[in-house]
Amino acid sequence: GNSVTQMEGPVTLSEEAFLTINCTYTATGYPSLFWYVQYPGEGLQLLLKATKADDKGSNKGFEATYRKETTSFHLEKGSVQVSDSAVYFCALSAPNAGGTSYGKLTFGQGTILTVHP
Amino acid sequence: DGGITQSPKYLFRKEGQNVTLSCEQNLNHDAMYWYRQDPGQGLRLIYYSQIVNDFQKGDIAEGYSVSREKKESFPLTVTSAQKNPTAFYLCASRRSTDSYNEQFFGPGTRLTVL
């Protein structure tokens, strides 16, 4: 079946440091890939997405590139801010063996990011 | 503004009681989903519905029930059969014509069973 593996957290950084959160996946067919962010006590917000190989999703200074050869979708940001402190989820949507997905998302376990001033 | 609302934000219940969590969307989305979030485990799918009057079990449906009588509403009932109901519950919706399957999430309901 489909699965997503994220790097173990929590991740603690100083402001302006470089961020990488690793994400690898296993899926049938050609999945769409997503990064969602969850701020404390809130629901999930879509951060960025990529829908085919070599696509780069970007938003708010965050980037991730869909790498089919390594089945990865690592999240990066060149200079983090205190306001980036949140939980980050990698997710995919892929068809099942019958060729349908019903829009279901498969999530990684989430990575807690804390940025200190 | 279009979006998804969940109520209440916090819910406390005694063990053995059924409780219903509300989810309403005004995005005109056909598909709706319920997820459960536990610390360190990501999100797990409870139930989903592609159209009105139809829904399917997700990965952890035992102890839960849903209904989809209106396009805008997808309430979740946590029954007394759910062995460990304390969790954060998230509702989501999706436009069925979106082939990339982007989902939009509500703010969540934190259920605590005493």
Side-chain angles (χ1 to χ4, degrees), chain A residues 32-34 36 38 40-46 49 51 87 89 93-94 101-110, chain B residues 9 31 33 35 37 40-43 45 48 50 56 59 88 90 94 98-108:
Chain A
S32 297
L33 301 174
F34 306 87
Y36 281 87
Q38 183 180 35
E42 298 183 7
L44 274 67
Q45 302 174 24
L46 179 67
K49 67 181 181 186
T51 58
V87 183
F89 291 94
S93 178
S101 70
Y102 304 109
K104 291 165 60 177
L105 292 176
T106 300
F107 286 87
Q109 75 271 31
Chain B
K9 189 171 178 65
Y33 306 80
Y35 293 91
Q37 183 179 14
Q41 294 193 43
L43 277 69
L45 182 64
Y48 62 101
Q50 301 294 300
Q56 289 80 37
D59 300 319
F88 190 50
L90 288 159
R94 179 184 69 89
D98 176 10
S99 58
Y100 304 126
N101 296 327
E102 176 183 344
Q103 291 185 17
F104 295 79
F105 284 81

Side-chain angles (χ1 to χ4, degrees), chain A residues 2-7 21-25 34-36 38 44 87-92 105-111, chain B residues 35-44:
Chain A
N2 300 329
S3 67
V4 176
T5 302
Q6 289 182 232
M7 66 183 288
I21 301 178
N22 290 340
C23 171
T24 57
Y25 67 88
F34 306 87
W35 277 101
Y36 281 87
Q38 183 180 35
L44 274 67
V87 183
Y88 292 82
F89 291 94
C90 185
L92 69 81
L105 292 176
T106 300
F107 286 87
Q109 75 271 31
T111 301
Chain B
Y35 293 91
R36 170 182 172 137
Q37 183 179 14
D38 296 282
Q41 294 193 43
L43 277 69
R44 293 180 290 169

